[in-house]
Amino acid sequence: MSPEDQLAVHAVIARYGHVLDTGGEPFATVFTADAEFVVALPDGTVSRSRGIRDVVTMLTGAPEDPRPRPDRPAFSHHTTNVEIVASTDDSCEVRSKYFRLGPPGVAIGQYLDTVVRTPDGWRIARRVTVPHGG
C-alpha cells in the first residue's frame, strides 16, 4: 500500500466523526453503498445495519442523510491510534480507538474496519464497533 493510500485511509477514518457530528458531507464520502455496521456490546448483544441507508438510519435516526445537523453540537466523536494491520492494493484492515463526548457522558471503544478502494476513493465497507466499559 502506497503512502498516499495510507494517508487516504487515515483521512476516511477521521472524516467519519466530522460527518456524524456536523453533517457537512454525506455519509457516502465515508461508507460504501453496501456497507455493514456492527455494534458488538460487552454483554454479547450484537446489532447490524447493512447498506448505507440502514447505516445512516442507525447513526442519525433518519433514513436520508440529514445535512447539516445543527441539532448535534453536544456530540464530539474522535478516532485515535489508527493502525493499518493488513493490506492489499485495494483493501485493508484497520483498527483504531474512539471516544465520544456528549450525553450521557464519555463513551470509549474500538473500531475494526475493512476499508476498500472505490472509484470515488477509499471507503469503509465494514465497521465493527466494540464499546468498552459501561
Side-chain angles (χ1 to χ4, degrees), residues 30-55:
V30 175
F31 293 104
T32 61
D34 61 349
E36 179 181 27
F37 199 109
V38 179
V39 179
L41 297 176
D43 69 2
T45 305
V46 175
S47 68
R48 295 179 195 278
S49 296
R50 286 197 172 93
I52 196 162
R53 184 180 178 100
D54 286 345
V55 170

Side-chain angles (χ1 to χ4, degrees), residues 3-18:
E4 293 81 10
D5 286 333
Q6 290 177 34
L7 285 172
V9 168
H10 279 251
V12 76
I13 298 295
R15 187 177 314 119
Y16 168 78
H18 296 288

Side-chain angles (χ1 to χ4, degrees), residues 92-127:
C92 60
E93 300 300 318
V94 180
R95 69 179 178 182
S96 58
K97 295 183 179 186
Y98 72 83
F99 65 96
R100 186 208 74 215
L101 304 172
V106 177
I108 62 171
Q110 183 172 0
Y111 294 134
L112 304 171
D113 295 323
T114 301
V115 183
V116 298
R117 183 190 310 270
T118 74
D120 297 317
W122 290 89
R123 300 290 186 265
I124 299 170
R126 183 170 195 262
R127 168 160 279 184

